[in-house]
């Protein structure tokens, strides 16, 4: 691997940038590997990287049906945070945060992780109480959380509607200073490059179309580029989870696929230096380094495999953003797009062995899998290498629904559209 | 997306609230096998393609509807009343009957 540094940048500048090597190889699939990961999104790529780095498994392949970054890893609003309330969740996401903090160095790739903080606005006294409770739950786990009053919120976010007759008056907010954003494509590319450097084959345009079985065991996959055998097959295909597992004969899962839309405005001068979320609805917004305001709201709230959404949600999101930050109503929208979310029945993920021998499952990320990318790969690699979960992902089983150990952060019940 | 409500006619999707997979059936409460209840509450086929699903016309007649929709193209091929009025279907443009 060609190491990136200020020096290599200078050297390549002097030679007219003609000598950069491709960031990863484009190998043909081998007939067999020690392990296969289906899905070249953030989670599949980070799993491969940590399998190689932490567990010495380098004879492995990542199979991606399209190109790297074509899925949700390249479609999200890039928010990274660990401000969860339930211990099963906040420990896991805090471990992810710690991995984020060292990620650019670890991968030798600038993922542009920017710890600009996330501020959740509170609009009612009971919401502020609720935030105090969540903040305390975070601090018990050693996670940073600060409760802010109205004046402090107004000082930090000058564009907010803080007028006395605001439709949703802001009473305060919960701040996680270490939260922030990262460049989503860079995360996929950085993991791909670092995994490739350790010998992992990253195979694009290779769709898994079936599973090879011997007895009850999964022993490999059928793909559009031929059969590939491996004693361990990990599936990390986000919104396509039900589709792919159906190929292995699993007909029903605690997952529904829904479309989530996101939006970016025309670029403007710096106006928003942290991530802000609206508390009287569902809206999250940040400003990218290029100046665009990046924001999103609710999913469309019906099963969908179409990577585009409907207009009522566009209208809803726009009305939320302009009630919260009135200046946004005068900006033009540059683009909007959608991605297919693997919405689980309790809003929490699954990182587990099974559901068949030889198979491993990573799914159920809902809106929140980008921030999980490092820890998800780290825990999934552990689970695949050792055939048992790490304590951090032990709560994320597939049978928790059966056993009554759901992790429902919002207490919303078994309705995927509510998480 | 528009849904042809058998009672109100074609209406925008914003008037409706989604009720999820319309094919799952709650087991009789005398069934003590928990698997059947777990399947009803938590497990879904989640197909890419034809999906029979419940919608509540919350901003209209307030009937629950069974809608047959393609989850990839959003094409709706059938809408009928659920519950007490089951079987009463909407006349869909181009859908024949
Ligand atoms: C609009 C939007 C906004 C979001 N905002 C945030 C946010 O702010 N913060 C946050 O934490 N999370 C966010 N998320 C969620 C996050 O992006 C996802 O949870 C996460 O990216 C999912 O994991 P992944 O990267 O592995 O998925 P993906 O990138 O979708 O990877 C799955 C891959 O599997 C491949 N695949 C599917 N079927 C097959 C097959 N048969 N064979 C081979 N390959 C296959 C797909 O092509 C795809 O590349 C957002 C998502 C969307 C859509
Ligand atoms: Zn109606």
């Amino acid at each position: 691997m060609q190491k990136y540094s200020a020096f290599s940048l200078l050297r390549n500048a002097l030679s007219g940038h003609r000598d950069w090597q491709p960031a990863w190889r484009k190998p043909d699939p081998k007939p067999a590997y020690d392990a296969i990961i289906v899905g070249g999104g953030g989670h599949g790529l980070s799993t491969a990287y940590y399998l190689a780095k932490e567990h010495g498994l380098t004879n492995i392949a990542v199979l991606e049906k399209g190109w790297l970054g074509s899925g949700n890893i390249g479609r999200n609003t890039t928010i990274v945070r660990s401000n969860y309330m339930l211990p099963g969740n906040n420990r896991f996401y805090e471990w992810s945060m710690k991995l984020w903090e060292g990620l650019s160095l670890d991968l030798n790739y600038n993922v542009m992780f920017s710890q600009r903080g996330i501020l959740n606005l509170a609009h009612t006294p009971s919401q502020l109480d609720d935030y105090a409770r969540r903040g305390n739950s975070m601090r018990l786990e050693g996670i940073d959380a600060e409760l802010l009053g109205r004046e402090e919120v107004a000082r930090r976010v000058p564009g907010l509607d803080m007028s006395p007759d605001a439709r949703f008056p802001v009473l305060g907010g919960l701040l996680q200073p270490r939260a922030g954003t990262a460049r989503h494509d860079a995360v996929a590319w950085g993991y791909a490059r670092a995994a490739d450097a350790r010998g992992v084959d990253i195979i694009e345009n290779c769709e898994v179309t079936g599973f090879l079985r011997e007895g009850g065991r999964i022993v490999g996959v059928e793909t559009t580029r031929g059969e590939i055998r491996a004693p361990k097959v990990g599936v990390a295909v986000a919104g396509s989870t039900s589709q792919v597992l159906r190929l292995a004969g699993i007909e029903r899962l605690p997952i529904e696929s829904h479309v989530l839309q996101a939006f970016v405005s025309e670029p403007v001068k710096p106006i928003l230096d942290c991530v802000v979320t609206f508390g009287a609805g569902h809206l999250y917004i940040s400003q990218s380094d290029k100046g665009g305001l990046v924001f999103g709201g609710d999913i469309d709230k019906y099963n969908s495999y179409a990577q585009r959404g409907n207009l009522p949600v566009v209208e809803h999101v726009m009305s939320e953003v302009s009630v919260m930050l009135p200046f946004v109503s005068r900006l033009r929208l540059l683009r909007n797009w959608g991605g297919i979310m693997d919405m689980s029945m309790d809003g929490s993920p699954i990182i587990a062995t099974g559901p068949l021998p030889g198979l491993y499952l990573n799914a159920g990320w809902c809106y929140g899998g980008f921030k999980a990318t490092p820890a998800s790969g780290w825990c999934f690699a552990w689970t695949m290498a050792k055939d048992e979960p790490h304590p951090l992902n032990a709560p994320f089983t597939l049978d928790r629904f059966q056993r009554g150990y759901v992790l429902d952060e919002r207490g919303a019940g078994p309705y995927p559209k509510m998480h | 997306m528009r849904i042809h409500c058998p009672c109100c006619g074609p209406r925008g999707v914003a008037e409706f609230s989604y009720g999820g997979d319309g094919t799952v059936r709650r087991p009789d409460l005398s069934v003590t096998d928990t698997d059947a209840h777990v399947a009803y509450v938590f497990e879904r086929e989640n197909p890419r393609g034809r999906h029979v699903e419940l919608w509540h016309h919350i901003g209209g007649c307030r009937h629950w509807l069974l809608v047959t929709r393609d989850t990839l193209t959003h094409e709706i091929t059938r809408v009928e009343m659920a519950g007490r009025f089951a079987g009463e279907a909407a006349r869909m443009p181009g859908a024949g009957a």
Side-chain angles (χ1 to χ4, degrees):
Chain A
M1 182 176 87
Q2 206 182 20
K3 201 167 168 6
Y4 295 158
S5 64
F7 178 68
S8 75
L9 195 61
L10 189 68
R11 191 164 29 104
N12 281 283
L14 293 176
S15 60
H17 292 295
R18 280 184 302 268
D19 301 329
W20 290 109
Q21 291 164 11
W24 59 88
R25 297 163 296 133
K26 300 251 181 223
D28 287 323
K30 291 192 259 178
Y33 291 93
D34 294 337
I36 287 172
I37 292 135
V38 186
H43 294 207
L45 293 166
S46 65
T47 304
Y49 172 69
Y50 293 113
L51 272 173
K53 183 186 174 212
E54 305 284 341
H55 305 282
L57 247 76
T58 54
N59 181 31
I60 61 179
V62 177
L63 310 181
E64 165 54 45
K65 80 171 173 196
W67 68 93
L68 293 193
S70 56
N72 292 344
I73 187 68
R75 294 167 183 270
N76 61 73
T77 44
T78 79
I79 300 166
V80 174
R81 57 185 176 87
S82 57
N83 56 359
Y84 284 73
M85 191 183 76
L86 299 178
N89 280 329
N90 62 22
R91 281 174 204 157
F92 171 81
Y93 285 104
E94 178 57 15
W95 174 232
S96 209
M97 182 67 82
K98 295 212 166 91
L99 291 173
W100 276 110
E101 286 173 332
L103 197 58
S104 291
L105 267 183
D106 188 29
L107 299 180
N108 179 234
Y109 201 101
N110 185 3
V111 300
M112 296 168 73
F113 181 47
S114 157
Q115 291 180 290
R116 56 186 66 188
I118 188 168
L119 175 60
N120 306 129
L121 299 180
H123 306 272
T124 64
S126 58
Q127 194 166 28
L128 211 49
D129 288 350
D130 186 51
Y131 285 170
R133 179 176 176 226
R134 177 145 59 92
N136 283 332
S137 172
M138 290 164 63
R139 292 173 79 124
L140 281 174
E141 290 294 330
I143 304 168
D144 57 323
E146 289 170 29
L147 205 60
L148 306 184
R150 180 178 154 86
E151 286 67 36
E152 179 63 12
V153 169
R155 196 187 63 75
R156 282 176 182 262
V157 191
L160 290 175
D161 182 2
M162 299 299 272
S163 56
D165 55 351
R167 172 67 183 84
F168 300 103
V170 175
L171 302 190
L174 182 66
L175 178 75
Q176 185 186 17
R178 283 159 65 244
T181 58
R183 165 109 199 260
H184 51 8
D185 301 310
V187 174
W189 300 334
Y191 271 118
R193 172 170 168 274
D196 175 274
R198 290 177 184 267
V200 175
D201 280 358
I202 292 162
I203 303 167
E204 294 169 83
N205 300 311
C206 181
E207 179 174 354
V208 169
T209 53
F211 286 86
L212 304 174
R213 291 167 179 256
E214 263 162 32
R217 270 195 88 81
I218 298 293
V219 294
V221 291
E222 291 162 15
T223 77
T224 47
R225 298 180 67 176
E227 278 186 12
I228 309 174
R229 300 180 76 85
K232 297 185 177 198
V233 178
V235 175
V237 294
S240 303
T241 303
S242 297
Q243 285 292 106
V244 170
L245 285 206
R246 193 165 287 122
L247 301 172
I250 308 295
E251 294 291 341
R252 293 157 71 90
L253 286 169
I255 288 175
E256 281 181 5
S257 297
H258 288 246
V259 63
L260 175 63
Q261 307 190 53
F263 308 86
V264 63
S265 77
E266 61 182 323
V268 289
K269 292 204 170 150
I271 175 79
L272 199 59
D273 65 357
C274 63
V275 184
V276 185
T277 74
F278 185 49
H282 191 191
L283 184 108
Y284 33 93
I285 185 165
S286 66
Q287 187 170 22
S288 79
D289 291 348
K290 280 191 287 188
L293 292 169
V294 181
F295 56 102
D298 275 325
I299 50 176
D300 273 28
K301 295 197 171 163
Y302 47 81
N303 290 46
S304 177
Y305 281 89
Q307 288 187 111
R308 62 189 156 73
N310 258 305
L311 288 172
V313 169
V314 178
E315 190 180 4
H316 184 72
V317 170
M318 296 311 140
S319 62
E320 283 181 303
V321 72
S322 46
V323 91
M324 179 172 111
L325 294 162
F327 74 90
V328 178
S329 67
R330 296 192 298 278
L331 298 182
R332 275 165 299 190
L333 209 57
L334 199 60
R335 279 181 291 132
N336 81 311
W337 63 92
I340 304 305
M341 326 296 316
D342 36 337
M343 302 298 297
S344 70
M345 281 286 176
D346 61 356
S348 296
I350 295 153
I351 307 178
T353 56
L356 297 171
L359 202 59
Y360 304 81
L361 182 61
N362 177 311
W365 292 101
C366 304
Y367 294 48
F370 177 66
K371 70 176 92 69
T373 305
S376 166
W378 194 92
C379 289
F380 199 36
W382 176 291
T383 305
M384 286 184 69
K386 301 189 189 285
D387 274 304
E388 62 178 24
H390 185 273
L392 283 170
N393 66 305
F396 302 153
T397 60
L398 183 56
D399 67 1
R400 66 176 181 266
F401 302 95
Q402 176 98 29
R403 296 188 305 123
Y405 289 101
V406 293
L407 272 167
D408 190 340
E409 186 80 18
R410 297 182 57 202
Y415 309 102
K417 72 168 189 179
M418 303 303 291
H419 293 297
Chain B
M1 209 159 89
R2 270 190 300 182
I3 298 177
H4 287 245
C5 175
C7 182
C8 313
R11 307 295 305 169
V13 68
E15 284 185 10
F16 298 83
S17 169
Y18 185 57
D21 188 331
T23 63
V24 290
R25 289 282 167 273
R26 188 174 65 202
D28 193 274
L29 291 181
S30 63
V31 174
T32 51
D33 167 26
T34 51
D35 286 355
H37 293 278
V38 168
Y40 165 68
V41 177
F42 295 115
E43 293 172 4
R44 299 293 178 263
E45 284 181 20
N46 188 27
R48 182 168 75 185
R50 188 177 171 277
H51 191 228
V52 178
E53 56 199 25
L54 286 163
W55 286 86
H56 192 187
H57 197 183
I58 198 112
C61 62
R62 301 189 66 86
H63 278 303
W64 278 94
L65 309 175
L66 266 179
V67 175
T68 307
R69 182 179 61 95
D70 189 304
T71 58
L72 189 59
T73 64
H74 297 339
E75 188 194 4
I76 294 174
T77 47
R78 189 175 168 81
V79 183
E80 60 183 288
M81 300 276 208
R84 202 147 57 90
F85 303 97
E88 283 189 36
R91 270 196 298 279
M92 305 282 298

